[in-house]
Amino acid sequence: MLKHIINNVWGFDLNPLAVQTARVNILIAISDLLDNNKGTDIEIPILLADAVYSPARNPKKMN
């Protein structure tokens, strides 16, 4: 269940405080799952980013 949530719930915002708040809220929401999965490394996929500006069409094909 924890892997499913981490792989499917994500987000981004321009405001650093909003990003931190969202990360903390996710941690609070999944805290009981973390107790049952001790030793599991997770990364909260909430990023500081802009939906409008993209630095490259395909970042993997940058020349």
Side-chain angles (χ1 to χ4, degrees):
M1 180 73 157
L2 178 62
K3 269 279 195 237
H4 180 73
I5 292 170
I6 296 301
N7 290 333
N8 291 292
V9 177
W10 59 274
F12 55 90
D13 202 301
L14 279 174
N15 184 330
L17 183 58
V19 171
Q20 283 301 103
T21 302
R23 287 178 179 166
V24 169
N25 283 332
I26 288 178
L27 282 174
I28 290 169
I30 65 172
S31 62
D32 58 331
L33 297 174
L34 293 174
D35 284 341
N36 297 332
N37 292 285
K38 292 185 190 253
T40 302
D41 289 334
I42 64 165
E43 182 176 337
I44 305 296
I46 307 294
L47 309 172
L48 183 63
D50 188 347
V52 176
Y53 173 72
S54 176
R57 280 194 119 143
N58 187 349
K60 294 181 181 180
K61 286 188 168 186
M62 289 192 58
N63 292 328

